[in-house]
Amino acid sequence: MANNGSAQHPDKRKAGGHGPTLEDEVVFLLNVDPDTDVDDGPHSPADWWGPFAKAVYRWEVIRGTAAPVPIVRGPRGGLKLAPKFAEWMMGLPDGWVTDVPDLSHAEQLGRIGNGVVPQQAYAAFKYLMALS
């Protein structure tokens, strides 16, 4: 979830010799309006996700919650990665990071991006315990 300046089209980022960030992918490759009101149903709109729809659907089933809107409007109107979406993708409980008082947008994404997916940590720990 690294930040490498403002979001750029992934092809432009690659042409500059860098890999695209999650924010690049979400802002430029998904069909999402940040002002969309989402139903409280079990799944987000499938047309948001393009080629990622199956993976998002699977994670929604595993998590038991619909994916939140993945983008938000920044202070100058540009689109940015939504911390709530990053938190959801990482498998964290809703609000685990995003409800912490006084954390900026960038600080929330930094904390989430530097974290560990709890389900992966559990699986790794369980595997290691079985080896001993």
Side-chain angles (χ1 to χ4, degrees):
M1 290 182 240
N3 187 354
N4 194 4
S6 296
Q8 294 181 14
H9 193 282
D11 292 340
K12 182 177 180 182
R13 184 88 63 193
K14 290 175 192 172
H18 302 283
T21 65
L22 177 61
E23 186 168 56
D24 295 337
E25 302 279 350
V26 168
V27 169
F28 286 97
L29 300 182
L30 300 183
N31 181 31
V32 182
D33 177 354
D35 302 318
T36 301
D37 286 329
V38 182
D39 294 334
D40 286 336
H43 301 290
S44 57
D47 62 331
W48 281 2
W49 307 110
F52 310 107
K54 288 181 182 178
V56 171
Y57 179 84
R58 230 180 354 259
W59 195 230
E60 288 175 330
V61 170
I62 290 167
R63 298 279 326 269
T65 67
V69 177
I71 54 178
V72 294
R73 291 204 186 278
R76 291 181 278 179
L79 299 178
K80 302 172 86 163
L81 178 63
K84 285 269 185 198
F85 177 67
E87 183 177 63
W88 177 85
M89 277 185 47
M90 290 290 288
L92 299 171
D94 187 38
W96 187 259
V97 174
T98 56
D99 288 349
V100 174
D102 302 323
L103 284 183
S104 70
H105 180 271
E107 290 170 328
Q108 289 176 4
L109 288 175
R111 305 253 185 331
I112 294 165
N114 288 331
V116 174
V117 175
Q119 296 84 346
Q120 289 178 320
Y122 174 80
F125 184 71
K126 187 174 175 182
Y127 172 78
L128 292 171
M129 292 300 291
L131 291 178
S132 58

